[in-house]
Amino acid sequence: MMNIIKGRPENASPDLKEALRYMGYKGHTPDPDSMKLIEECKSELLKAVSPVCCYMYTEIRAISEDETELVFGKVKSRDLARHLKGCTGAYLFAATIGISVDRLISKYSRIKPAKGVITDALGSSSIESFCDFAELEITKDITQHCSRFSAGYGDFSLSHQTDFMRCLDMNRTLGITLSDSLLMTPTKSVTAVIGIGASNRTCASKCISCPNTKCIYRDSGH
């Protein structure tokens, strides 16, 4: 059964520390003028967001140390198998903060590039904040569950975006489309698997599973 959660703008309020990391500040505090511009962009962003997510339950079956079977078939991924170890089921999850955010980023990228960069970073943090909110809503009555784990983390292939699209009917439910290069539109959108039925476990940060240790956006703690 498909379930929908429609959020409010405050459920997608970006985390400033995370957004600053996306902007490349890496622990440095912006000057007052920059902070004023960031707050201005945040205010405009929150007027543009339309946070919504959909999710459905799937049984899962561990096949081996690097293969798991979900509703859409077998997934060859050691990282996902390790994350879901001991789980008896899972939720397939997708969320977006809407196409208006893409339009806002595009507008400022053309006329005020600095605001474009800031709004893009705030948008990336905004969708993560909404995912955190939605994940808590989905699991609020479940005592044992894992945090979300997305296609593209570690060796969980991004090619499975097509499976999420099909199973969650994301074009109809969320207005999300997928390009030939597997990029979603709206761009501030996320798909993930949330394991349930095992001892609480988290991937803590997508940076843990990413092999690109020189990435400028990498969490300094990883």
Side-chain angles (χ1 to χ4, degrees):
M1 183 179 68
M2 188 76 67
N3 300 276
I4 304 289
I5 296 175
K6 292 184 177 180
R8 298 184 298 273
E10 57 264 33
N11 303 139
S13 184
D15 179 272
L16 184 58
K17 181 180 178 181
E18 183 179 59
L20 289 175
R21 179 167 59 83
Y22 293 153
M23 293 176 214
Y25 278 95
K26 294 187 176 180
H28 300 296
T29 303
D31 61 72
D33 287 341
S34 295
M35 280 303 303
K36 182 179 179 180
L37 187 60
I38 290 168
E39 290 296 335
E40 180 183 318
C41 290
K42 178 181 175 181
S43 178
E44 291 187 49
L45 174 80
L46 290 177
K47 292 176 183 176
V49 297
S50 299
V52 60
C53 83
C54 64
Y55 63 98
M56 65 174 289
Y57 177 81
T58 173
E59 293 183 351
I60 63 174
R61 182 170 67 93
I63 298 174
S64 66
E65 290 185 352
D66 64 354
E67 194 169 25
T68 308
E69 186 171 27
L70 303 174
V71 66
F72 51 66
K74 296 177 182 178
V75 177
K76 191 80 169 178
S77 167
R78 183 175 294 271
D79 292 326
L80 180 65
R82 181 167 54 241
H83 190 70
L84 297 178
K85 186 176 181 180
C87 290
T88 56
Y91 286 108
L92 298 186
F93 165 91
T96 185
I97 55 173
I99 195 64
S100 292
V101 174
D102 281 18
R103 292 171 181 153
L104 188 64
I105 294 168
S106 178
K107 180 183 78 171
Y108 282 129
S109 294
R110 292 193 309 272
I111 64 175
K112 293 184 178 178
K115 290 189 73 170
V117 170
I118 292 169
T119 306
D120 190 12
L122 289 168
S124 295
S125 179
S126 175
I127 181 58
E128 291 298 330
S129 291
F130 177 60
C131 285
D132 289 343
F133 166 80
E135 185 178 324
L136 286 173
E137 286 293 301
I138 293 167
T139 60
K140 63 184 178 183
D141 296 320
I142 302 170
T143 57
Q144 294 182 307
H145 61 86
C146 303
S147 64
R148 62 186 181 274
F149 199 92
S150 293
Y153 285 15
D155 63 354
F156 184 15
S157 175
L158 200 61
S159 65
H160 290 292
Q161 293 286 48
T162 57
D163 297 316
F164 281 97
M165 285 289 297
R166 173 172 49 83
C167 288
L168 294 173
D169 195 8
M170 289 162 54
N171 183 257
R172 182 183 64 83
T173 57
L174 302 179
I176 292 175
T177 59
L178 193 66
S179 72
D180 291 340
S181 55
L182 304 175
L183 298 177
M184 290 184 285
T185 300
T187 59
K188 305 308 179 185
S189 303
V190 167
T191 59
V193 179
I194 302 172
I196 61 174
S199 58
N200 292 2
R201 178 163 60 252
T202 177
C203 61
S205 167
K206 66 185 73 176
C207 298
I208 288 177
S209 299
C210 180
N212 185 7
T213 58
K214 298 185 183 300
C215 175
I216 63 171
Y217 302 116
R218 192 175 182 85
D219 186 337
S220 59
H222 303 100

